[in-house]
Amino acid sequence: MTDQRLLEVVLPGVVAPEGLELRYGPVPGAGPGRVVIGVEATGVSFAEQQMRRGRYYDQPPFPFVPGYDLVGRVLATGEGVDPALTGRRVAALVKVGGWASHVALDAADAVPVPDGLTAVEAETVVVNGITAWQMLHRLARVRAGQTVLVHGASGGVGSVLVQLARAAGVSVIGTASARHHDALRGLGVVPVDYRAGDVPARVRELAPGGVDAVFDHVGGRSVVDSWHLLAPGGTLVAYGSASTRDHSGSKQWPVLKVLARTWAWNALPNGRRAHFYNIWAGRALGRDAFRARLRSDLTRVFDAVRRGDVTARVAAELPLASAAEALRLAESGTVGGKVVLVP
């Protein structure tokens, strides 16, 4: 590793994508209990798009290296770590720091990637796959024969969610722009154009008795509509506020508003449940339990990809040094699947 240099992409402040900076330095060492990963793939998710605007509700102060997740090979192991890990392909959820050629992290946070999956395939389902799996199976607890509504069904999380739901024998109604409808039909999803007419009325036509779960990343007015579309005993899982992406003002307020609504709805004696999903909330279980759950859920998602239940959708692969171009492409809304950076 001595002949290599570290390359990191730095977000210096609220800037246009072209304002991202490249920083070079020495490769980090592996301290006790830690490993150094040679990053093979890292992704552009909605979180980085929000961070660029200073709108992600718990982002660190500028400047910092974004990058929510990564896949790569273990290059070095620190004291107390099994040296046999060296050379293994692993995935990790890091929240920030992933847009780099090398990343040092706790060995306990590295999840083995099974043989037969490429780094890019695995990368498409790290944050998106964990999010989809936990919302579907841990919060909504869907069962075969149920019907769910997935907003943004062709997006990063949505596309994994609909495939996992179909694999579980669940009927899916998915909102998306018209150009994605054929692809959704190919997955067995009933598409609804969110730009055309009254979406709640169309969903009621398709599911007159209501739906068993709604997965809503839009926030704002959409969450209220989603709640009213639930069948008795149904579950709403809100997991973002995409509708406020370009707003100014408090970045916490849209999230707090959704949280307040879920608390109020859960106090009603109508048998329906509402959750606001945050991938990091599981840390309340304790660090070891959180890691064990993450490892278990991501392993199940990787298995689903290996079986063909979930197809890894890659919108584009770009070199790490082209992070600005990758971010602009991801924000354009014109691509299906994940934009992946390849150091």
Side-chain angles (χ1 to χ4, degrees):
M1 280 176 24
T2 49
D3 58 338
Q4 292 181 300
R5 289 174 78 203
L6 169 70
L7 167 61
E8 295 175 305
V9 178
V10 179
L11 188 53
V14 177
V15 292
E18 291 70 27
L20 290 168
E21 297 170 358
L22 301 181
R23 179 169 72 196
Y24 294 89
V27 172
R34 289 169 73 79
V35 291
V36 175
I37 311 288
V39 178
E40 296 176 293
T42 179
V44 183
S45 63
F46 187 67
E48 290 94 14
Q49 299 172 37
Q50 291 286 73
M51 289 175 186
R52 175 182 79 72
R53 296 171 167 84
R55 304 279 307 157
Y56 192 76
Y57 67 101
D58 62 348
Q59 69 188 69
F62 296 115
F64 63 92
V65 176
Y68 217 89
D69 57 5
L70 61 93
V71 174
R73 293 207 183 263
V74 176
L75 298 180
T77 56
E79 185 190 331
V81 179
D82 181 0
L85 267 179
T86 306
R88 280 298 309 270
R89 177 172 283 152
V90 295
L93 192 69
V94 290
K95 191 187 279 190
V96 292
W99 288 7
S101 59
H102 303 76
V103 173
L105 48 85
D106 288 350
D109 289 324
V111 178
V113 174
D115 295 336
L117 284 192
T118 69
V120 170
E121 282 173 333
E123 164 54 35
T124 64
V125 295
V126 182
V127 64
N128 291 346
I130 295 166
T131 299
W133 181 276
Q134 292 187 343
M135 292 196 303
L136 197 64
H137 293 295
R138 290 192 180 274
L139 291 183
R141 296 180 182 168
V142 297
R143 298 185 305 279
Q146 292 187 322
T147 300
V148 304
L149 170 63
V150 178
H151 285 291
S154 63
V157 173
S159 60
V160 180
L161 188 57
V162 300
Q163 293 178 81
L164 288 173
R166 295 296 294 135
V170 172
S171 298
V172 180
I173 302 165
T175 69
S177 57
R179 70 173 171 273
H180 297 302
H181 285 196
D182 285 345
L184 287 172
R185 286 188 194 98
L187 297 173
V189 175
V190 179
V192 172
D193 188 348
Y194 66 84
R195 291 192 170 116
D198 187 338
V199 170
R202 177 73 184 119
V203 174
R204 280 191 197 95
E205 282 173 24
L206 294 166
V211 293
D212 297 292
V214 185
F215 302 92
D216 189 311
H217 71 302
V218 183
R221 173 72 217 173
S222 176
V223 173
V224 179
D225 290 336
S226 293
W227 174 255
H228 292 301
L229 288 169
L230 288 176
T235 303
L236 165 66
V237 184
Y239 66 104
S241 55
S243 61
T244 64
R245 186 186 81 170
D246 297 315
H247 293 192
S248 54
S250 165
K251 60 183 178 243
Q252 280 87 13
W253 180 237
V255 171
L256 292 174
K257 215 151 63 169
V258 176
L259 269 172
R261 281 196 169 120
T262 62
W263 290 331
W265 286 329
N266 286 332
L268 299 173
N270 60 14
R272 299 182 179 104
R273 293 173 302 142
H275 298 274
F276 186 82
Y277 174 81
N278 168 11
I279 205 165
W280 303 100
R283 280 188 168 164
L285 302 165
R287 199 164 178 85
D288 291 344
F290 172 73
R291 283 167 161 162
R293 194 166 82 162
L294 209 68
R295 179 176 294 250
S296 162
D297 294 347
L298 183 53
T299 300
R300 284 170 163 175
V301 173
F302 284 153
D303 288 343
V305 178
R306 271 210 304 191
R307 280 195 307 270
D309 289 346
V310 173
T311 302
R313 295 174 68 231
V314 181
E317 285 180 48
L318 291 157
L320 187 61
S322 300
E325 187 187 338
L327 191 52
R328 193 157 294 289
L329 181 63
E331 291 187 13
S332 69
T334 59
V335 292
K338 186 125 187 194
V339 177
V340 177
L341 290 167
V342 185

